[in-house]
Amino acid sequence: EAASVLVWQVEGALAERGYATGPIDGTMDAKSREAVRHYQEDAGLPATGKADKALLANIEQSDTRQVSQRDVREIERRLKRRAYRPGPVDGVVDIQTAAAIRAYQTDANLPVTGRPSMALLEHLRNSNVRAASDADVNDAIQRAIESFANADDGG
Protein backbone atom coordinates (compact mmCIF):
# COMPACT_ATOMS: atom_id res chain seq x y z
CA GLU A 1 0.00 0.00 0.00
CA ALA A 2 2.82 2.44 0.81
CA ALA A 3 4.35 1.77 -2.60
CA SER A 4 1.07 2.55 -4.34
CA VAL A 5 0.77 5.88 -2.47
CA LEU A 6 4.31 6.76 -3.56
CA VAL A 7 3.57 5.81 -7.18
CA TRP A 8 0.36 7.85 -7.04
CA GLN A 9 2.35 10.88 -5.77
CA VAL A 10 5.01 10.44 -8.49
CA GLU A 11 2.34 10.08 -11.19
CA GLY A 12 0.57 13.21 -9.95
CA ALA A 13 3.77 15.27 -9.80
CA LEU A 14 4.80 14.16 -13.29
CA ALA A 15 1.34 14.84 -14.73
CA GLU A 16 1.48 18.39 -13.29
CA ARG A 17 4.68 18.90 -15.26
CA GLY A 18 3.17 17.66 -18.52
CA TYR A 19 4.40 14.06 -18.57
CA ALA A 20 1.95 11.47 -19.91
CA THR A 21 1.62 8.99 -17.03
CA GLY A 22 -1.64 7.40 -18.00
CA PRO A 23 -4.18 7.08 -15.19
CA ILE A 24 -3.01 8.48 -11.85
CA ASP A 25 -3.94 5.38 -9.94
CA GLY A 26 -0.88 4.33 -7.95
CA THR A 27 -0.08 1.52 -10.39
CA MET A 28 3.40 1.47 -11.90
CA ASP A 29 2.35 0.37 -15.36
CA ALA A 30 4.30 0.72 -18.63
CA LYS A 31 3.01 4.28 -19.23
CA SER A 32 4.07 5.38 -15.74
CA ARG A 33 7.52 3.82 -16.16
CA GLU A 34 7.92 5.57 -19.52
CA ALA A 35 6.94 8.93 -17.98
CA VAL A 36 9.44 8.38 -15.16
CA ARG A 37 12.19 7.54 -17.69
CA HIS A 38 11.39 10.64 -19.76
CA TYR A 39 11.51 12.82 -16.65
CA GLN A 40 14.78 11.23 -15.55
CA GLU A 41 16.33 11.86 -19.00
CA ASP A 42 15.09 15.46 -19.04
CA ALA A 43 16.41 16.04 -15.52
CA GLY A 44 19.80 14.49 -16.30
CA LEU A 45 19.24 11.50 -14.03
CA PRO A 46 19.93 7.83 -14.82
CA ALA A 47 16.83 6.65 -16.71
CA THR A 48 15.83 3.68 -14.57
CA GLY A 49 12.05 4.09 -14.83
CA LYS A 50 11.78 3.35 -11.11
CA ALA A 51 9.80 5.46 -8.67
CA ASP A 52 11.18 5.99 -5.18
CA LYS A 53 11.19 8.70 -2.50
CA ALA A 54 14.35 10.29 -3.90
CA LEU A 55 12.73 10.61 -7.32
CA LEU A 56 9.61 12.19 -5.83
CA ALA A 57 11.76 14.69 -3.91
CA ASN A 58 13.68 15.50 -7.09
CA ILE A 59 10.47 16.08 -9.06
CA GLU A 60 9.01 18.30 -6.34
CA GLN A 61 12.18 20.44 -6.15
CA SER A 62 12.80 20.62 -9.90
CA ASP A 63 11.48 22.92 -12.58
CA THR A 64 11.97 20.18 -15.19
CA ARG A 65 8.85 19.70 -17.24
CA GLN A 66 7.76 18.00 -20.45
CA VAL A 67 8.06 20.25 -23.46
CA SER A 68 4.84 21.70 -24.85
CA GLN A 69 3.87 21.90 -28.52
CA ARG A 70 4.84 25.59 -28.36
CA ASP A 71 8.29 24.63 -27.02
CA VAL A 72 8.69 22.10 -29.84
CA ARG A 73 7.82 24.78 -32.41
CA GLU A 74 10.51 27.04 -30.90
CA ILE A 75 13.03 24.16 -31.02
CA GLU A 76 12.11 23.52 -34.66
CA ARG A 77 12.47 27.24 -35.53
CA ARG A 78 15.86 27.48 -33.84
CA LEU A 79 17.09 24.28 -35.52
CA LYS A 80 15.89 25.53 -38.90
CA ARG A 81 17.76 28.84 -38.44
CA ARG A 82 20.91 26.80 -37.83
CA ALA A 83 20.43 24.70 -41.01
CA TYR A 84 19.43 21.46 -39.24
CA ARG A 85 16.29 20.93 -41.39
CA PRO A 86 13.71 19.79 -38.81
CA GLY A 87 10.90 19.82 -41.38
CA PRO A 88 7.76 21.92 -40.93
CA VAL A 89 7.62 24.14 -37.84
CA ASP A 90 4.45 22.53 -36.55
CA GLY A 91 5.18 21.44 -32.99
CA VAL A 92 5.14 17.77 -33.98
CA VAL A 93 8.18 15.62 -33.26
CA ASP A 94 8.34 13.46 -36.37
CA ILE A 95 11.27 11.54 -37.85
CA GLN A 96 12.71 14.67 -39.47
CA THR A 97 12.54 16.70 -36.24
CA ALA A 98 14.13 13.87 -34.23
CA ALA A 99 16.93 13.56 -36.80
CA ALA A 100 17.59 17.31 -36.65
CA ILE A 101 17.67 17.17 -32.85
CA ARG A 102 20.12 14.22 -32.94
CA ALA A 103 22.37 16.08 -35.40
CA TYR A 104 22.35 19.20 -33.23
CA GLN A 105 22.99 17.19 -30.05
CA THR A 106 25.93 15.49 -31.77
CA ASP A 107 27.43 18.78 -33.01
CA ALA A 108 26.91 20.39 -29.58
CA ASN A 109 28.45 17.42 -27.71
CA LEU A 110 25.20 16.81 -25.83
CA PRO A 111 23.75 13.40 -24.95
CA VAL A 112 22.12 12.19 -28.18
CA THR A 113 18.47 11.29 -27.54
CA GLY A 114 16.64 12.78 -30.52
CA ARG A 115 14.01 14.01 -28.05
CA PRO A 116 13.05 17.61 -27.38
CA SER A 117 13.59 18.80 -23.82
CA MET A 118 13.70 22.05 -21.92
CA ALA A 119 17.47 21.58 -21.55
CA LEU A 120 17.78 21.30 -25.34
CA LEU A 121 15.67 24.43 -25.84
CA GLU A 122 17.80 26.33 -23.33
CA HIS A 123 20.97 25.18 -25.11
CA LEU A 124 19.56 26.31 -28.47
CA ARG A 125 18.74 29.70 -26.96
CA ASN A 126 22.27 30.19 -25.62
CA SER A 127 24.68 28.48 -28.01
CA ASN A 128 26.02 29.34 -31.44
CA VAL A 129 26.29 25.74 -32.70
CA ARG A 130 25.34 25.48 -36.37
CA ALA A 131 25.09 22.63 -38.84
CA ALA A 132 28.26 22.08 -40.84
CA SER A 133 26.23 22.44 -44.02
CA ASP A 134 25.27 25.94 -42.87
CA ALA A 135 28.90 27.03 -43.20
CA ASP A 136 28.98 25.55 -46.71
CA VAL A 137 25.85 27.49 -47.66
CA ASN A 138 27.28 30.73 -46.26
CA ASP A 139 30.55 30.14 -48.14
CA ALA A 140 28.62 29.55 -51.37
CA ILE A 141 26.63 32.75 -50.85
CA GLN A 142 29.84 34.70 -50.17
CA ARG A 143 31.45 33.29 -53.34
CA ALA A 144 28.38 34.24 -55.37
CA ILE A 145 28.48 37.79 -53.98
CA GLU A 146 32.19 38.07 -54.76
CA SER A 147 31.60 36.69 -58.26
CA PHE A 148 28.93 39.34 -58.96
CA ALA A 149 31.17 42.08 -57.51
CA ASN A 150 34.10 40.94 -59.67
CA ALA A 151 31.87 40.82 -62.77
CA ASP A 152 30.79 44.40 -62.09
CA ASP A 153 34.45 45.50 -61.72
CA GLY A 154 35.34 44.05 -65.11
CA GLY A 155 32.49 45.56 -67.04
Side-chain angles (χ1 to χ4, degrees), residues 13-58:
L14 288 174
E16 286 174 12
R17 286 157 183 82
Y19 291 89
T21 62
I24 300 172
D25 58 6
T27 303
M28 195 63 172
D29 56 17
K31 193 84 172 157
S32 297
R33 275 190 296 283
E34 181 181 2
V36 168
R37 275 194 298 277
H38 285 181
Y39 171 81
Q40 290 168 325
E41 289 172 1
D42 292 347
L45 302 171
T48 63
K50 294 183 180 173
D52 56 24
K53 288 182 182 181
L55 175 68
L56 180 59
N58 184 288

Side-chain angles (χ1 to χ4, degrees), residues 78-122:
R78 289 178 181 276
L79 288 169
K80 187 172 256 184
R81 282 187 215 136
R82 295 163 187 245
Y84 282 97
R85 300 183 183 151
V89 177
D90 57 6
V92 176
V93 183
D94 55 16
I95 291 172
Q96 213 171 345
T97 303
I101 290 171
R102 279 193 299 278
Y104 176 81
Q105 290 169 325
T106 299
D107 290 349
N109 294 317
L110 298 172
V112 179
T113 64
R115 290 188 53 242
S117 68
M118 293 311 295
L120 172 67
L121 179 54
E122 214 39 52

